[in-house]
Amino acid sequence: MEALLQDLRYTFRSFKHNPVFVSVAALTLALGIGANTAVFSVVNGVLLRPLPYEDPDRLALIWTNFGADLPQNWVSGPEYAEMQEFATLFDAIAVVAPTTVSFTGLGEPEQIDAAAASGTFFRVMRVRPLYGRLIGPDDDTPASNPVAVLGHGFWRRRFGADPAMVGQTITANGTTYTVIGVLPPGFAVRHPDAQFPDAIDVWVPMVPVFGTTYPELNRGSHFLRAFGRLADDVSLEQAQTDMDRVALQIQEQSPDYYDFPGWGVTVLSLHADLVEDVRPALLILLGAVGFVLLIACVNVANLQLTRAAGREREIAVRTAIGADRTRLVRQLLTESVVLALVGGLLGLVLAFGLIRVVMAVAPSDLPLRDVVGVDGSVLWYTLAIALVTGVLFGLAPVVYGMRQSIVGSLKEGGRGATSGVGGRRVRTALVVAEVALALVLLVGAGLMIRSLDNLLRANPGYRTDNLLTMRIALPSSRYDGPAQQAFYSQLLERVRALPGVSQAGAISHLPLSGSYTSGTTRVNESRTVTPVHGAQHPFIEADRRWVTPEYFETMGVQLLQGRTFNAFDGSEAPLVAMVDEEFVRRFWPTEEPIGKRVAINRNDEGELIWREVIGVVRHSKHYDLSTVGREQVYFPHPQFPVGTMYLAVRTASDPVALTSSIRGEVWALDSDQPVSDVQTMRDRVGSAVAQPRFNLLLLVTFAGIALLLATVGIYGVISYSVGQRTHEIGVRMALGASRQNVRFLVFRQGMLLTLIGVGVGLLAAFGLSRLLTALLYGVSPADPVTYGGVAVLLSAVAAAACLLPAGRATRVEPLAVLRDE
């Protein structure tokens, strides 16, 4: 301990006499460590930290599997009932149906997030109420009275956190519910489904909402999100085996419905399924910021080598008078580790600010973003990388400093290893390494830039300019089918009459809104459909949309064949449908699609209801801008009314300015009808590219830092080399070398190191960029334009970094050098 304290005292005295070195090194490390800490805090919160539930590793998501076309689908009521009956390795299974409801009776009407839950749901989640009680099995029966549980945030916002709300009533969708409890703060439902909001305002039991038991619900209506809690000592693999058996039993009970191969039930870890889509991007960002830290270490190692060159006589004297080399090694490593800890402390302070910045630019749908922050794991991580960094950048000066010649260092003008050939080789190798690392990051950033540019330029299948959208959900308790059709017809008529409105239409599921639905779709009476992945069965899964006749023109969706819906496609007219180009490409690539028929439901006698295809439109990018979604089928709203629709209003000027006017027209028809999810279509596109933009922003930032550090490293090494070669340069000039020759000599040295680093970096980037494949759109990981552009950019910046020391070399005076000799 005494020796350690002595080393520390000597270290701080040494730092006191070298404030510039300490400041530059500590700030360089702080930048690398701070960036690593910030990104790790996101990775820790999203990927590593357990979900905020009791025994979260026991929670699973349960999906139905309809083969290669639909490997993850929700659960129907009868399937849930059969899972409960047949499954043996779950403590409990529950289902939830998220929705929105109109909350009225207390100020301005509001569209709020609600969820209908089975009586087992809160048992699966193991949550306890803040006040009152939660929904249980006795509340989930057809004869149960309407009851509700309030989410904590909603309870505080609308009721002032009044505990007396338990026992009071609220009105949602025209139904009066008795409040039986309030959920605790922080409770949120984590689900990968984009339609499932974390914060539910009101919870109600499911069976009273639908008025029937689970076995009596439509087997083909898959709208329930299923959660399961594994029994004690049961693994996920065992639960999957059990559900494979359950799937066979379900199939045996309804052979007509599951008359195709590949159907089953899939059990996945809740946490793993939740973060599956963001895991690759976060791990790549963590690796990228690790490269930044390595470059910072290289720079500090070069600083240490330069400093060690000036300490050769000191080390030689201490060795000559009997200092043990192990003791000297310990002293040098102590200095490195202390310097790294100082950089780590500054980096931690920097990380708090960086985390705020990172979360500000992170997409709003990033899973678990509310739990990202600095906790014990992040602090231990910061300490660990500080210690590892200290040892890492401290090794080079230790190894080469200990190999110096004692006699040579004690001679006046003698040079040891750190300033001789060995030291120069180490410094040049480190510069080559940081150039290569910087180039890898720059290539990644370049690929992401080109990918995002391609994404934004891609045709989504509709126009996004001057388009305002909003959601209206009519409660079924007050609006039946004809009333729904009449409401939207009158509303669109009123909206079109507003000054500044050029077109207006409505659709049940707007592209990029997070809203979607799909279902089995049959094509012609005798056609056997071949899905993409091979197995044949008489139906496929297709996306469904209900639209008003003006929708396609308003959105700018191109008509390719036939006609669009019109005012004559009413409830009494022949049933019709429209399909998109992907539907035609898959099922009628060589046939005329107009006049073909599709069916999605049956009549009371069980016969398929066929609808004639009258038009083909361009495919609309619905889920995101980077992938082609499922085939799309459209139906006229008058023939198939639904209560929830998105208005699409095209304007002659700023669409946002018409928000109040359109909302006023809604309230003129129904003063209790809320309007929600008001956004321009451009804003929806912005949200759709939020994740790739987030990845790009961080990667470009890290690449920029790497480029800066690499530039500083090149400049430092060449500048130090000029200082070490002053005598050589003076002799060369005395023998007749011109200033131009000297400038080229120094410039060539720097560019040679750069080009070697660029070559190594290109090879490394070619291998590592394959990891970006899943994040790229319209660009190859081996894109030659990106590689060439990055190589030229890095070389140009390096050339600029070499010019200053090259210019300084030409100012050497030969006579002064010879006089010193």
Side-chain angles (χ1 to χ4, degrees), residues 112-421:
I112 63 173
D113 292 313
S118 63
T120 55
F121 176 73
F122 291 110
R123 174 185 168 188
V124 167
M125 306 309 290
R126 290 192 180 174
V127 60
R128 297 171 181 79
L130 181 65
Y131 293 105
R133 66 177 182 86
L134 302 179
I135 295 168
D138 292 342
D139 301 306
D140 198 28
T141 67
S144 301
N145 294 321
V147 296
V149 172
L150 303 181
H152 189 270
F154 181 68
W155 171 66
R156 292 184 63 87
R157 177 168 58 85
R158 292 305 299 254
F159 305 107
D162 183 6
M165 274 305 299
V166 176
Q168 302 298 312
T169 59
I170 60 172
T171 302
N173 275 2
T175 300
T176 300
Y177 293 89
T178 300
V179 177
I180 61 172
V182 177
L183 285 165
F187 176 75
V189 179
R190 315 293 182 172
H191 197 282
D193 175 19
Q195 295 189 43
F196 207 136
D198 286 347
I200 299 294
D201 297 319
V202 175
W203 294 84
V204 298
M206 188 173 296
V207 169
V209 170
F210 297 106
T212 186
T213 60
Y214 296 104
E216 294 170 331
L217 289 171
N218 184 353
R219 182 173 291 276
S221 182
H222 292 81
F223 67 99
L224 304 176
R225 283 67 165 173
F227 297 79
R229 178 169 287 275
L230 303 180
D232 292 340
D233 301 323
V234 172
S235 67
L236 203 64
E237 292 74 18
Q238 290 172 320
Q240 180 62 67
T241 300
D242 188 48
M243 274 301 180
D244 290 340
R245 174 188 57 80
V246 171
L248 289 175
Q249 290 183 268
I250 293 174
Q251 201 167 18
E252 289 171 0
Q253 293 207 157
S254 305
D256 293 339
Y257 184 79
Y258 306 104
D259 59 348
F260 62 94
W263 189 84
V265 179
T266 303
V267 182
L268 297 173
S269 161
L270 174 58
H271 189 222
D273 204 10
L274 182 65
V275 303
E276 180 183 10
D277 290 340
V278 300
R279 180 188 297 275
L282 289 181
L283 292 180
I284 287 172
L285 290 174
L286 186 62
V289 81
F291 274 29
V292 173
L293 182 59
L294 284 175
I295 295 173
C297 288
V298 168
N299 266 5
V300 176
N302 261 326
L303 286 173
Q304 287 275 58
L305 281 170
T306 303
R307 180 168 175 253
R311 301 177 67 187
E312 290 182 4
R313 287 181 58 82
E314 170 202 337
I315 295 173
V317 168
R318 295 179 67 184
T319 304
I321 63 176
D324 182 71
R325 284 186 176 257
T326 304
R327 178 78 172 78
L328 293 175
V329 168
R330 190 178 67 197
Q331 173 63 51
L332 292 175
L333 283 178
T334 300
E335 293 180 13
S336 297
V337 170
V338 169
L339 185 60
L341 291 175
V342 172
L345 183 60
L346 293 175
L348 184 61
V349 174
L350 178 63
F352 281 97
L354 289 176
I355 291 171
R356 289 179 176 271
V357 174
V358 169
M359 297 314 297
V361 300
S364 58
D365 58 352
L366 178 70
L368 303 166
R369 58 174 294 150
D370 55 309
V371 301
V372 171
V374 176
D375 61 4
S377 299
V378 175
L379 293 176
W380 280 112
Y381 174 82
T382 305
L383 177 61
I385 62 173
L387 292 174
V388 171
T389 298
V391 174
L392 192 62
F393 73 71
L395 284 177
V398 166
V399 171
Y400 284 94
M402 290 303 98
R403 290 174 56 188
Q404 65 183 337
S405 168
I406 298 176
V407 175
S409 296
L410 290 175
K411 290 180 180 179
E412 185 177 357
R415 293 176 179 85
T418 53
S419 60
V421 176

Side-chain angles (χ1 to χ4, degrees), residues 401-539:
M402 290 303 98
R403 290 174 56 188
Q404 65 183 337
S405 168
I406 298 176
V407 175
S409 296
L410 290 175
K411 290 180 180 179
E412 185 177 357
R415 293 176 179 85
T418 53
S419 60
V421 176
R424 286 199 300 272
R425 285 176 178 172
V426 174
R427 277 189 290 273
T428 55
L430 291 175
V431 168
V432 168
E434 66 179 330
V435 169
L437 290 170
L439 187 133
V440 171
L441 288 182
L442 286 168
V443 166
L447 291 172
M448 293 294 288
I449 289 173
R450 296 205 64 197
S451 175
L452 183 60
D453 181 62
N454 290 338
L455 198 60
L456 293 174
R457 290 173 181 271
N459 181 9
Y462 41 83
R463 290 171 49 204
T464 62
D465 57 298
N466 289 350
L467 193 63
L468 183 67
T469 64
M470 59 191 68
R471 183 175 184 270
I472 298 174
L474 301 177
S476 58
S477 59
R478 294 192 290 119
Y479 290 89
D480 58 12
Q484 292 168 353
Q485 192 275 328
F487 177 91
Y488 287 112
S489 178
Q490 295 176 51
L491 176 60
L492 289 172
E493 210 173 293
R494 285 171 167 267
V495 170
R496 288 190 206 101
L498 291 173
V501 172
S502 56
Q503 295 167 314
I507 185 171
S508 58
H509 303 85
L510 185 75
L512 306 183
S513 66
S515 171
Y516 55 90
T517 190
S518 65
T520 52
T521 303
R522 295 179 184 268
V523 182
N524 289 354
E525 294 86 339
S526 59
R527 172 68 63 91
T528 296
V529 175
T530 303
V532 174
H533 297 281
Q536 291 190 335
H537 53 77
F539 55 83

